[in-house]
Amino acid sequence: MAFFGRKKLTVGLDVGSGLVKAVVIDHTSGSPELVKVVVTPLADTAIVEGEVMDHALVADAIRQTIDATGVKTKQIVSAVGGRDVIVKKIQIERVKDAQARELMRWEAEQHVPFDMESVELDFQILDPDAEGLEMSVLLVAAKRELVEAKRDLLTDAGAAPAVIDVDAFALHNAFALNHPDAMRGTVALLNIGHEATNLNILDDGIPILTRDLTVGTRRFREDLQRDHGESADDAEALLRGFDRTIALDGVAALRGEELAIGMERAATFLATSSRSFGQLRAIYVCGGGARVPGLLGWLASRMRIPVELANPLARLTIRDGAMEFLSTDEVAPLLMLPVGLALRAAA
Ligand SMILES: Nc1ncnc2c1ncn2[C@@H]1O[C@H](COP(=O)(O)OP(=O)(O)OP(=O)(O)O)[C@@H](O)[C@H]1O
Ligand SMILES: [Mg+2]
């Protein structure tokens, strides 16, 4: 009879290509409290270009990660992303939620280049309290295959049933909670992972564009190995270190240029598709790649706007021992996505 003590825990599970990450948030008190973080490395060959190559290995890493949280909850929130997920802001006539749901399939046919029989759709009304004849809706379409593959992976890890969210939304949720200052004007959030970088552009806090760039710490590491003769371990240590070296500066410039071009292309696309789009005011960076010494400074001088490290733990209460032997400063930048997932309150 632990009625009053009933905990409302959510486990946010991010199956990244470099690290499987679980974040546990306690929602009992109404303000989210971080109670546990677990990070498990994955072999390079386990997930390649967003595809799970070694199902058993990844399922094992998920099982280990969830076991290590020590939480028995079935409230596990995970997400899908990548090129088989489309997020698009559209304008439709203002209708009630239930009616919008009906309209969405028809709208999706106009906006989504996938076969409608094989997608799962979701949407979010961005201006529910506004008046006027039209409303802005964020339409999400994910290939059903992708969602089912994720569910299978979780089931095989003994972690079902699960809620499957969308990467871009989870990143946005964690960012909005921790960086209210970034919710005005137009800003970019870059989550630089192991294989990919998720780019989200927000306009007054509303996500208006999301895309993936094929840059990640794996590329940085391979550059250091190829061009500077570093071993894989030494290269990795440089990327996670705190000191700049000439070798790192070269790599930051090479891959930073790809990130800069990705952001410029996205901004040009927005400027041509929406008259109201202004200039990017600032860039916020998270993910393992955000830690590469010298990268943020390089991006700031290349883009000529402020570039800041985004911290998903900035406004969370952290319970003693939640990080155990992990170093908060070193791991925090990597947790934007799993924190966003765990922020979904338990039902
Ligand atoms: N403290 C750390 N522990 C482990 N890896 C780190 C750390 N700091 C930086 N890294 C680097 O960051 C990478 C992981 O970053 P992140 O967790 O953002 O990627 P991911 O989510 O696994 O990848 P992706 O999103 O591209 O699939 C590692 O592969 C490593 O190169
Ligand atoms: Mg990631």
Side-chain angles (χ1 to χ4, degrees), residues 109-147:
E109 278 177 23
Q110 327 295 312
H111 294 282
V112 175
F114 300 153
D115 170 17
M116 277 304 118
E117 292 302 309
S118 63
V119 299
E120 293 201 7
L121 293 175
D122 200 359
F123 70 95
Q124 198 178 329
I125 299 171
L126 294 170
D127 52 357
D129 303 324
E131 289 173 8
L133 296 174
E134 290 203 321
M135 60 185 188
S136 301
V137 177
L138 210 56
L139 175 67
V140 185
K143 284 204 182 160
R144 184 165 298 134
E145 252 175 47
L146 189 70
V147 179

Side-chain angles (χ1 to χ4, degrees), residues 17 32 128 131 167 244 253:
S17 59
E131 289 173 8
D167 284 352
R244 289 175 65 162

Side-chain angles (χ1 to χ4, degrees), residues 87 166-173 175 186-191 197-203 206-213 263 266 270 280 282-284:
V87 180
V166 173
D167 284 352
F169 286 0
L171 286 167
H172 178 262
N173 284 344
F175 183 49
T186 312
V187 305
L189 173 68
L190 273 185
N191 176 39
T197 294
N198 318 115
L199 164 63
N200 277 8
I201 296 185
L202 286 74
D203 186 28
I206 293 173
I208 53 173
L209 177 139
T210 165
R211 41 174 85 158
D212 279 3
L213 311 171
M263 286 187 281
L270 286 170
L280 277 185
I283 301 166
Y284 292 79

Side-chain angles (χ1 to χ4, degrees), residues 18 91 96 103 128 139 210 217 261 290 315 331-332 342:
Q91 297 287 122
K96 294 261 179 312
L103 268 180
L139 175 67
T210 165
T217 57
I261 289 173
R315 297 203 164 211
V331 176

Side-chain angles (χ1 to χ4, degrees), residues 308-320:
E308 265 187 55
L309 190 64
N311 178 7
L313 309 184
R315 297 203 164 211
L316 289 184
T317 313
I318 303 177
R319 191 173 297 172
D320 280 349

Side-chain angles (χ1 to χ4, degrees), residues 14-21 39 41-42 44 47 50 167 191-198 215-218 221 236 239-240 286-292 326-327 330-335 337:
D14 170 12
V15 184
S17 59
L19 299 170
V20 176
K21 298 169 281 290
V39 172
L42 267 186
D44 266 3
I47 300 179
D167 284 352
N191 176 39
I192 310 173
H194 175 75
E195 278 210 318
T197 294
N198 318 115
V215 185
T217 57
R218 181 180 183 169
R221 193 193 67 208
E236 193 61 48
L239 294 176
R240 295 188 208 175
C286 60
R291 297 198 47 220
V292 174
L326 296 170
S327 146
E330 289 178 27
V331 176
L334 285 64
L335 301 178
L337 178 50

